[in-house]
mmCIF file of all heavy atoms in Angstrom:
data_model
loop_
_atom_site.group_PDB
_atom_site.id
_atom_site.type_symbol
_atom_site.label_atom_id
_atom_site.label_comp_id
_atom_site.label_asym_id
_atom_site.label_seq_id
_atom_site.Cartn_x
_atom_site.Cartn_y
_atom_site.Cartn_z
ATOM 1 N N THR A 1768 -96.759 -35.052 -80.088
ATOM 2 C CA THR A 1768 -97.449 -36.207 -80.651
ATOM 3 C C THR A 1768 -96.454 -37.210 -81.221
ATOM 4 O O THR A 1768 -95.423 -36.849 -81.787
ATOM 5 C CB THR A 1768 -98.420 -35.789 -81.762
ATOM 6 O OG1 THR A 1768 -97.706 -35.095 -82.776
ATOM 7 C CG2 THR A 1768 -99.520 -34.898 -81.211
ATOM 8 N N GLY A 1769 -96.768 -38.464 -81.066
ATOM 9 C CA GLY A 1769 -95.959 -39.539 -81.628
ATOM 10 C C GLY A 1769 -96.860 -40.552 -82.308
ATOM 11 O O GLY A 1769 -98.055 -40.641 -82.008
ATOM 12 N N THR A 1770 -96.295 -41.332 -83.207
ATOM 13 C CA THR A 1770 -97.063 -42.328 -83.947
ATOM 14 C C THR A 1770 -96.257 -43.622 -84.023
ATOM 15 O O THR A 1770 -95.079 -43.605 -84.389
ATOM 16 C CB THR A 1770 -97.377 -41.857 -85.376
ATOM 17 O OG1 THR A 1770 -98.102 -40.630 -85.310
ATOM 18 C CG2 THR A 1770 -98.210 -42.887 -86.126
ATOM 19 N N ALA A 1771 -96.900 -44.720 -83.691
ATOM 20 C CA ALA A 1771 -96.254 -46.029 -83.807
ATOM 21 C C ALA A 1771 -96.265 -46.461 -85.262
ATOM 22 O O ALA A 1771 -97.322 -46.482 -85.894
ATOM 23 C CB ALA A 1771 -96.985 -47.047 -82.949
ATOM 24 N N ARG A 1772 -95.106 -46.797 -85.785
ATOM 25 C CA ARG A 1772 -95.030 -47.305 -87.152
ATOM 26 C C ARG A 1772 -94.665 -48.788 -87.135
ATOM 27 O O ARG A 1772 -94.105 -49.311 -88.099
ATOM 28 C CB ARG A 1772 -94.017 -46.496 -87.960
ATOM 29 C CG ARG A 1772 -94.362 -45.010 -88.016
ATOM 30 C CD ARG A 1772 -93.466 -44.253 -88.972
ATOM 31 N NE ARG A 1772 -93.594 -42.824 -88.783
ATOM 32 C CZ ARG A 1772 -94.509 -42.062 -89.361
ATOM 33 N NH1 ARG A 1772 -95.393 -42.623 -90.152
ATOM 34 N NH2 ARG A 1772 -94.575 -40.763 -89.143
ATOM 35 N N GLU A 1773 -94.999 -49.420 -86.051
ATOM 36 C CA GLU A 1773 -94.751 -50.845 -85.877
ATOM 37 C C GLU A 1773 -95.666 -51.304 -84.763
ATOM 38 O O GLU A 1773 -96.470 -50.535 -84.238
ATOM 39 C CB GLU A 1773 -93.293 -51.076 -85.494
ATOM 40 C CG GLU A 1773 -92.917 -50.344 -84.215
ATOM 41 C CD GLU A 1773 -91.415 -50.224 -84.037
ATOM 42 O OE1 GLU A 1773 -90.753 -49.691 -84.933
ATOM 43 O OE2 GLU A 1773 -90.936 -50.670 -83.003
ATOM 44 N N PHE A 1774 -95.570 -52.561 -84.364
ATOM 45 C CA PHE A 1774 -96.293 -53.060 -83.196
ATOM 46 C C PHE A 1774 -95.468 -52.676 -81.964
ATOM 47 O O PHE A 1774 -94.360 -53.176 -81.771
ATOM 48 C CB PHE A 1774 -96.471 -54.566 -83.274
ATOM 49 C CG PHE A 1774 -97.299 -55.001 -84.451
ATOM 50 C CD1 PHE A 1774 -96.692 -55.346 -85.654
ATOM 51 C CD2 PHE A 1774 -98.681 -55.044 -84.376
ATOM 52 C CE1 PHE A 1774 -97.444 -55.733 -86.747
ATOM 53 C CE2 PHE A 1774 -99.446 -55.430 -85.465
ATOM 54 C CZ PHE A 1774 -98.825 -55.777 -86.653
ATOM 55 N N LEU A 1775 -95.998 -51.786 -81.156
ATOM 56 C CA LEU A 1775 -95.239 -51.176 -80.069
ATOM 57 C C LEU A 1775 -95.656 -51.803 -78.744
ATOM 58 O O LEU A 1775 -96.783 -51.620 -78.276
ATOM 59 C CB LEU A 1775 -95.499 -49.668 -80.049
ATOM 60 C CG LEU A 1775 -94.486 -48.808 -79.289
ATOM 61 C CD1 LEU A 1775 -93.139 -48.824 -80.009
ATOM 62 C CD2 LEU A 1775 -95.005 -47.383 -79.191
ATOM 63 N N SER A 1776 -94.730 -52.536 -78.131
ATOM 64 C CA SER A 1776 -95.056 -53.283 -76.916
ATOM 65 C C SER A 1776 -94.829 -52.459 -75.662
ATOM 66 O O SER A 1776 -93.870 -51.695 -75.565
ATOM 67 C CB SER A 1776 -94.203 -54.557 -76.839
ATOM 68 O OG SER A 1776 -94.524 -55.446 -77.879
ATOM 69 N N VAL A 1777 -95.730 -52.649 -74.701
ATOM 70 C CA VAL A 1777 -95.585 -52.098 -73.357
ATOM 71 C C VAL A 1777 -95.906 -53.219 -72.382
ATOM 72 O O VAL A 1777 -96.446 -54.263 -72.767
ATOM 73 C CB VAL A 1777 -96.522 -50.891 -73.130
ATOM 74 C CG1 VAL A 1777 -96.203 -49.765 -74.094
ATOM 75 C CG2 VAL A 1777 -97.985 -51.297 -73.253
ATOM 76 N N SER A 1778 -95.581 -53.016 -71.133
ATOM 77 C CA SER A 1778 -95.867 -54.024 -70.113
ATOM 78 C C SER A 1778 -96.503 -53.367 -68.910
ATOM 79 O O SER A 1778 -96.125 -52.256 -68.523
ATOM 80 C CB SER A 1778 -94.589 -54.752 -69.689
ATOM 81 O OG SER A 1778 -94.859 -55.633 -68.599
ATOM 82 N N ARG A 1779 -97.435 -54.061 -68.307
ATOM 83 C CA ARG A 1779 -98.022 -53.554 -67.075
ATOM 84 C C ARG A 1779 -97.150 -53.868 -65.874
ATOM 85 O O ARG A 1779 -97.458 -53.458 -64.759
ATOM 86 C CB ARG A 1779 -99.426 -54.135 -66.892
ATOM 87 C CG ARG A 1779 -100.440 -53.473 -67.820
ATOM 88 C CD ARG A 1779 -101.843 -53.987 -67.617
ATOM 89 N NE ARG A 1779 -101.996 -55.334 -68.144
ATOM 90 C CZ ARG A 1779 -103.067 -56.084 -67.932
ATOM 91 N NH1 ARG A 1779 -104.059 -55.632 -67.197
ATOM 92 N NH2 ARG A 1779 -103.147 -57.282 -68.454
ATOM 93 N N ASP A 1780 -96.065 -54.588 -66.111
ATOM 94 C CA ASP A 1780 -95.092 -54.894 -65.072
ATOM 95 C C ASP A 1780 -93.898 -53.940 -65.235
ATOM 96 O O ASP A 1780 -93.164 -54.022 -66.218
ATOM 97 C CB ASP A 1780 -94.644 -56.350 -65.200
ATOM 98 C CG ASP A 1780 -93.747 -56.792 -64.044
ATOM 99 O OD1 ASP A 1780 -93.148 -55.929 -63.381
ATOM 100 O OD2 ASP A 1780 -93.653 -58.009 -63.822
ATOM 101 N N LEU A 1781 -93.701 -53.066 -64.287
ATOM 102 C CA LEU A 1781 -92.628 -52.075 -64.377
ATOM 103 C C LEU A 1781 -91.265 -52.745 -64.502
ATOM 104 O O LEU A 1781 -90.393 -52.264 -65.236
ATOM 105 C CB LEU A 1781 -92.672 -51.153 -63.154
ATOM 106 C CG LEU A 1781 -91.565 -50.105 -63.057
ATOM 107 C CD1 LEU A 1781 -91.565 -49.177 -64.255
ATOM 108 C CD2 LEU A 1781 -91.707 -49.318 -61.751
ATOM 109 N N ALA A 1782 -91.063 -53.859 -63.804
ATOM 110 C CA ALA A 1782 -89.761 -54.531 -63.829
ATOM 111 C C ALA A 1782 -89.396 -54.986 -65.241
ATOM 112 O O ALA A 1782 -88.222 -54.953 -65.628
ATOM 113 C CB ALA A 1782 -89.769 -55.718 -62.872
ATOM 114 N N VAL A 1783 -90.387 -55.414 -66.018
ATOM 115 C CA VAL A 1783 -90.109 -55.852 -67.388
ATOM 116 C C VAL A 1783 -89.569 -54.682 -68.202
ATOM 117 O O VAL A 1783 -88.576 -54.800 -68.932
ATOM 118 C CB VAL A 1783 -91.380 -56.432 -68.034
ATOM 119 C CG1 VAL A 1783 -91.146 -56.722 -69.520
ATOM 120 C CG2 VAL A 1783 -91.816 -57.695 -67.314
ATOM 121 N N ALA A 1784 -90.227 -53.513 -68.093
ATOM 122 C CA ALA A 1784 -89.773 -52.340 -68.841
ATOM 123 C C ALA A 1784 -88.397 -51.887 -68.392
ATOM 124 O O ALA A 1784 -87.556 -51.481 -69.211
ATOM 125 C CB ALA A 1784 -90.783 -51.199 -68.668
ATOM 126 N N VAL A 1785 -88.120 -51.958 -67.087
ATOM 127 C CA VAL A 1785 -86.810 -51.561 -66.570
ATOM 128 C C VAL A 1785 -85.725 -52.487 -67.125
ATOM 129 O O VAL A 1785 -84.631 -52.034 -67.509
ATOM 130 C CB VAL A 1785 -86.815 -51.584 -65.034
ATOM 131 C CG1 VAL A 1785 -85.404 -51.410 -64.487
ATOM 132 C CG2 VAL A 1785 -87.735 -50.496 -64.496
#
Side-chain angles (χ1 to χ4, degrees):
T1768 58
T1770 302
R1772 301 188 193 274
E1773 58 197 56
F1774 297 93
L1775 198 68
S1776 295
V1777 299
S1778 174
R1779 285 182 287 170
D1780 187 339
L1781 177 59
V1783 173
V1785 170

